[in-house]
Amino acid sequence: MARHGGRGWYGRVVAAAVGVTAVAAATSVWTAQAGQTGGHVAARPAAKKAVPVSATIVHASDGGDHAVNITIDDGPDPQWTPQVLQVLKDNGVKATFCMIGPQAEAHPDLVKQVVAAGHRLCDHTVSHDTTMDKKSQAYQSQQILDAERQITKASGGVRPLYYRAPGGAFTPYSRHLAASHGMRPLGWNVDSKDFERPGTDAIITTVKGELHNGPTLLFHDAGGDRSQTVAALRTLLPWLKQQGYSFGFPVHQS
């Protein structure tokens, strides 16, 4: 799995995350107390203990052998996430949105839109640190569990079903921690390289050329100008249908 470096946007996220950490600590108490003052009725499902899932990294689709999984990373973003959602809606496709915790916290309306449209949520950590596999277990835990709480709260109580390590920086510890919280570790087979903004045609060519690698496709809806991604999806989703592909979600339990 390729790692993506040089993401200046994430520097700002990291800075913001310093302030978020204190909020997240308080949120952990919120999550554990379904009956707290304030009556967050919609969020009460977050207090239920998650059912553990497999800690192996999943790539397979629950749609079968000729299905693909569309996965969208790094949002939500107020400019690009709505456009991605519209393209998915226009094509009748469901996707998995791998969200950065502070982004979810900043845009709860978008998280709720994602859920309402029938898409699934994925924990993509607090600060998208692609070197987190080199960091302490305490740091990995903070990155994963704080983001889980932020996303769950922003969604109104819907938990993320998956955990995707930034840049594929999984560790045995992080995989088992996520799995114990009901989040299946999620990999990818086809990196569209859309984050590099190589041009819409290049994104389309990359995806078509790498489909033989497996069913889980990686795109982005944040971190910069994602107009090429939106345009590529407008072409790729109908094309995939023409090739006989259906669309599923990554296998959650196995």
Side-chain angles (χ1 to χ4, degrees), residues 156-173:
V158 179
R159 289 181 177 273
L161 293 180
Y162 309 94
Y163 162 64
R164 173 172 277 168
F170 289 102
T171 65
Y173 173 79

PDB file of all heavy atoms in Angstrom, residues 156-173:
ATOM      1  N   GLY A 156     -24.665  11.376  14.847  1.00  0.00           N
ATOM      2  CA  GLY A 156     -25.871  11.219  15.636  1.00  0.00           C
ATOM      3  C   GLY A 156     -25.972   9.848  16.265  1.00  0.00           C
ATOM      4  O   GLY A 156     -27.048   9.418  16.671  1.00  0.00           O
ATOM      5  N   GLY A 157     -24.864   9.145  16.347  1.00  0.00           N
ATOM      6  CA  GLY A 157     -24.860   7.855  17.038  1.00  0.00           C
ATOM      7  C   GLY A 157     -24.543   6.658  16.178  1.00  0.00           C
ATOM      8  O   GLY A 157     -24.544   5.534  16.662  1.00  0.00           O
ATOM      9  N   VAL A 158     -24.261   6.871  14.895  1.00  0.00           N
ATOM     10  CA  VAL A 158     -23.926   5.757  14.001  1.00  0.00           C
ATOM     11  C   VAL A 158     -22.424   5.536  14.031  1.00  0.00           C
ATOM     12  O   VAL A 158     -21.646   6.435  13.690  1.00  0.00           O
ATOM     13  CB  VAL A 158     -24.392   6.035  12.556  1.00  0.00           C
ATOM     14  CG1 VAL A 158     -24.004   4.876  11.635  1.00  0.00           C
ATOM     15  CG2 VAL A 158     -25.897   6.267  12.533  1.00  0.00           C
ATOM     16  N   ARG A 159     -22.028   4.349  14.436  1.00  0.00           N
ATOM     17  CA  ARG A 159     -20.603   4.044  14.560  1.00  0.00           C
ATOM     18  C   ARG A 159     -19.948   3.789  13.207  1.00  0.00           C
ATOM     19  O   ARG A 159     -20.583   3.238  12.298  1.00  0.00           O
ATOM     20  CB  ARG A 159     -20.408   2.789  15.404  1.00  0.00           C
ATOM     21  CG  ARG A 159     -20.704   2.929  16.881  1.00  0.00           C
ATOM     22  CD  ARG A 159     -20.445   1.608  17.574  1.00  0.00           C
ATOM     23  NE  ARG A 159     -20.643   1.677  19.005  1.00  0.00           N
ATOM     24  CZ  ARG A 159     -19.707   2.050  19.870  1.00  0.00           C
ATOM     25  NH1 ARG A 159     -18.519   2.382  19.425  1.00  0.00           N
ATOM     26  NH2 ARG A 159     -19.963   2.073  21.159  1.00  0.00           N
ATOM     27  N   PRO A 160     -18.675   4.109  13.063  1.00  0.00           N
ATOM     28  CA  PRO A 160     -17.930   3.654  11.888  1.00  0.00           C
ATOM     29  C   PRO A 160     -17.768   2.137  11.938  1.00  0.00           C
ATOM     30  O   PRO A 160     -17.495   1.568  12.997  1.00  0.00           O
ATOM     31  CB  PRO A 160     -16.584   4.376  11.999  1.00  0.00           C
ATOM     32  CG  PRO A 160     -16.471   4.787  13.434  1.00  0.00           C
ATOM     33  CD  PRO A 160     -17.858   4.955  13.956  1.00  0.00           C
ATOM     34  N   LEU A 161     -17.940   1.490  10.792  1.00  0.00           N
ATOM     35  CA  LEU A 161     -17.837   0.032  10.714  1.00  0.00           C
ATOM     36  C   LEU A 161     -16.443  -0.436  10.324  1.00  0.00           C
ATOM     37  O   LEU A 161     -16.159  -1.638  10.387  1.00  0.00           O
ATOM     38  CB  LEU A 161     -18.851  -0.513   9.707  1.00  0.00           C
ATOM     39  CG  LEU A 161     -20.321  -0.355  10.088  1.00  0.00           C
ATOM     40  CD1 LEU A 161     -21.211  -0.932   8.990  1.00  0.00           C
ATOM     41  CD2 LEU A 161     -20.620  -1.012  11.428  1.00  0.00           C
ATOM     42  N   TYR A 162     -15.585   0.501   9.909  1.00  0.00           N
ATOM     43  CA  TYR A 162     -14.259   0.135   9.433  1.00  0.00           C
ATOM     44  C   TYR A 162     -13.222   1.098  10.010  1.00  0.00           C
ATOM     45  O   TYR A 162     -13.544   2.200  10.457  1.00  0.00           O
ATOM     46  CB  TYR A 162     -14.191   0.204   7.895  1.00  0.00           C
ATOM     47  CG  TYR A 162     -15.292  -0.549   7.198  1.00  0.00           C
ATOM     48  CD1 TYR A 162     -16.465   0.102   6.798  1.00  0.00           C
ATOM     49  CD2 TYR A 162     -15.170  -1.907   6.919  1.00  0.00           C
ATOM     50  CE1 TYR A 162     -17.482  -0.582   6.160  1.00  0.00           C
ATOM     51  CE2 TYR A 162     -16.194  -2.604   6.280  1.00  0.00           C
ATOM     52  CZ  TYR A 162     -17.343  -1.936   5.903  1.00  0.00           C
ATOM     53  OH  TYR A 162     -18.354  -2.611   5.270  1.00  0.00           O
ATOM     54  N   TYR A 163     -11.976   0.649   9.949  1.00  0.00           N
ATOM     55  CA  TYR A 163     -10.836   1.509  10.288  1.00  0.00           C
ATOM     56  C   TYR A 163      -9.813   1.401   9.154  1.00  0.00           C
ATOM     57  O   TYR A 163      -9.363   0.301   8.815  1.00  0.00           O
ATOM     58  CB  TYR A 163     -10.181   1.092  11.604  1.00  0.00           C
ATOM     59  CG  TYR A 163      -8.793   1.655  11.770  1.00  0.00           C
ATOM     60  CD1 TYR A 163      -8.604   3.038  11.853  1.00  0.00           C
ATOM     61  CD2 TYR A 163      -7.672   0.829  11.790  1.00  0.00           C
ATOM     62  CE1 TYR A 163      -7.329   3.578  11.970  1.00  0.00           C
ATOM     63  CE2 TYR A 163      -6.392   1.363  11.919  1.00  0.00           C
ATOM     64  CZ  TYR A 163      -6.231   2.733  12.000  1.00  0.00           C
ATOM     65  OH  TYR A 163      -4.971   3.262  12.096  1.00  0.00           O
ATOM     66  N   ARG A 164      -9.472   2.528   8.572  1.00  0.00           N
ATOM     67  CA  ARG A 164      -8.434   2.564   7.539  1.00  0.00           C
ATOM     68  C   ARG A 164      -7.249   3.374   8.058  1.00  0.00           C
ATOM     69  O   ARG A 164      -7.381   4.568   8.357  1.00  0.00           O
ATOM     70  CB  ARG A 164      -8.960   3.167   6.240  1.00  0.00           C
ATOM     71  CG  ARG A 164      -7.869   3.382   5.182  1.00  0.00           C
ATOM     72  CD  ARG A 164      -8.461   3.791   3.853  1.00  0.00           C
ATOM     73  NE  ARG A 164      -8.903   2.619   3.097  1.00  0.00           N
ATOM     74  CZ  ARG A 164      -9.670   2.682   2.000  1.00  0.00           C
ATOM     75  NH1 ARG A 164     -10.093   3.856   1.564  1.00  0.00           N
ATOM     76  NH2 ARG A 164     -10.005   1.583   1.358  1.00  0.00           N
ATOM     77  N   ALA A 165      -6.096   2.723   8.161  1.00  0.00           N
ATOM     78  CA  ALA A 165      -4.892   3.406   8.611  1.00  0.00           C
ATOM     79  C   ALA A 165      -4.398   4.364   7.537  1.00  0.00           C
ATOM     80  O   ALA A 165      -4.360   4.010   6.356  1.00  0.00           O
ATOM     81  CB  ALA A 165      -3.800   2.393   8.937  1.00  0.00           C
ATOM     82  N   PRO A 166      -4.012   5.574   7.905  1.00  0.00           N
ATOM     83  CA  PRO A 166      -3.479   6.518   6.923  1.00  0.00           C
ATOM     84  C   PRO A 166      -2.271   5.932   6.192  1.00  0.00           C
ATOM     85  O   PRO A 166      -1.330   5.433   6.814  1.00  0.00           O
ATOM     86  CB  PRO A 166      -3.058   7.718   7.783  1.00  0.00           C
ATOM     87  CG  PRO A 166      -3.917   7.622   9.005  1.00  0.00           C
ATOM     88  CD  PRO A 166      -4.073   6.164   9.256  1.00  0.00           C
ATOM     89  N   GLY A 167      -2.325   5.960   4.874  1.00  0.00           N
ATOM     90  CA  GLY A 167      -1.225   5.428   4.082  1.00  0.00           C
ATOM     91  C   GLY A 167      -1.000   3.943   4.261  1.00  0.00           C
ATOM     92  O   GLY A 167       0.056   3.420   3.901  1.00  0.00           O
ATOM     93  N   GLY A 168      -1.975   3.241   4.842  1.00  0.00           N
ATOM     94  CA  GLY A 168      -1.808   1.816   5.090  1.00  0.00           C
ATOM     95  C   GLY A 168      -0.915   1.511   6.274  1.00  0.00           C
ATOM     96  O   GLY A 168      -0.381   0.399   6.383  1.00  0.00           O
ATOM     97  N   ALA A 169      -0.741   2.470   7.198  1.00  0.00           N
ATOM     98  CA  ALA A 169       0.172   2.305   8.333  1.00  0.00           C
ATOM     99  C   ALA A 169      -0.485   1.506   9.462  1.00  0.00           C
ATOM    100  O   ALA A 169      -0.620   1.970  10.597  1.00  0.00           O
ATOM    101  CB  ALA A 169       0.641   3.669   8.834  1.00  0.00           C
ATOM    102  N   PHE A 170      -0.883   0.280   9.139  1.00  0.00           N
ATOM    103  CA  PHE A 170      -1.468  -0.611  10.135  1.00  0.00           C
ATOM    104  C   PHE A 170      -0.368  -1.222  11.000  1.00  0.00           C
ATOM    105  O   PHE A 170       0.779  -1.379  10.571  1.00  0.00           O
ATOM    106  CB  PHE A 170      -2.222  -1.756   9.454  1.00  0.00           C
ATOM    107  CG  PHE A 170      -3.495  -1.362   8.773  1.00  0.00           C
ATOM    108  CD1 PHE A 170      -3.542  -1.206   7.392  1.00  0.00           C
ATOM    109  CD2 PHE A 170      -4.653  -1.171   9.501  1.00  0.00           C
ATOM    110  CE1 PHE A 170      -4.720  -0.860   6.750  1.00  0.00           C
ATOM    111  CE2 PHE A 170      -5.845  -0.831   8.873  1.00  0.00           C
ATOM    112  CZ  PHE A 170      -5.873  -0.665   7.501  1.00  0.00           C
ATOM    113  N   THR A 171      -0.744  -1.571  12.211  1.00  0.00           N
ATOM    114  CA  THR A 171       0.086  -2.410  13.066  1.00  0.00           C
ATOM    115  C   THR A 171      -0.806  -3.511  13.631  1.00  0.00           C
ATOM    116  O   THR A 171      -2.043  -3.366  13.646  1.00  0.00           O
ATOM    117  CB  THR A 171       0.686  -1.624  14.244  1.00  0.00           C
ATOM    118  OG1 THR A 171      -0.377  -1.189  15.112  1.00  0.00           O
ATOM    119  CG2 THR A 171       1.485  -0.416  13.764  1.00  0.00           C
ATOM    120  N   PRO A 172      -0.224  -4.613  14.111  1.00  0.00           N
ATOM    121  CA  PRO A 172      -1.071  -5.618  14.768  1.00  0.00           C
ATOM    122  C   PRO A 172      -1.896  -5.015  15.896  1.00  0.00           C
ATOM    123  O   PRO A 172      -3.072  -5.358  16.066  1.00  0.00           O
ATOM    124  CB  PRO A 172      -0.048  -6.646  15.283  1.00  0.00           C
ATOM    125  CG  PRO A 172       1.095  -6.535  14.322  1.00  0.00           C
ATOM    126  CD  PRO A 172       1.177  -5.069  13.985  1.00  0.00           C
ATOM    127  N   TYR A 173      -1.275  -4.109  16.657  1.00  0.00           N
ATOM    128  CA  TYR A 173      -2.001  -3.477  17.760  1.00  0.00           C
ATOM    129  C   TYR A 173      -3.194  -2.668  17.246  1.00  0.00           C
ATOM    130  O   TYR A 173      -4.310  -2.796  17.753  1.00  0.00           O
ATOM    131  CB  TYR A 173      -1.074  -2.570  18.562  1.00  0.00           C
ATOM    132  CG  TYR A 173      -1.815  -1.767  19.620  1.00  0.00           C
ATOM    133  CD1 TYR A 173      -2.182  -2.348  20.822  1.00  0.00           C
ATOM    134  CD2 TYR A 173      -2.160  -0.431  19.390  1.00  0.00           C
ATOM    135  CE1 TYR A 173      -2.884  -1.625  21.788  1.00  0.00           C
ATOM    136  CE2 TYR A 173      -2.861   0.290  20.347  1.00  0.00           C
ATOM    137  CZ  TYR A 173      -3.216  -0.313  21.544  1.00  0.00           C
ATOM    138  OH  TYR A 173      -3.926   0.405  22.478  1.00  0.00           O
TER     139      TYR A 173
END
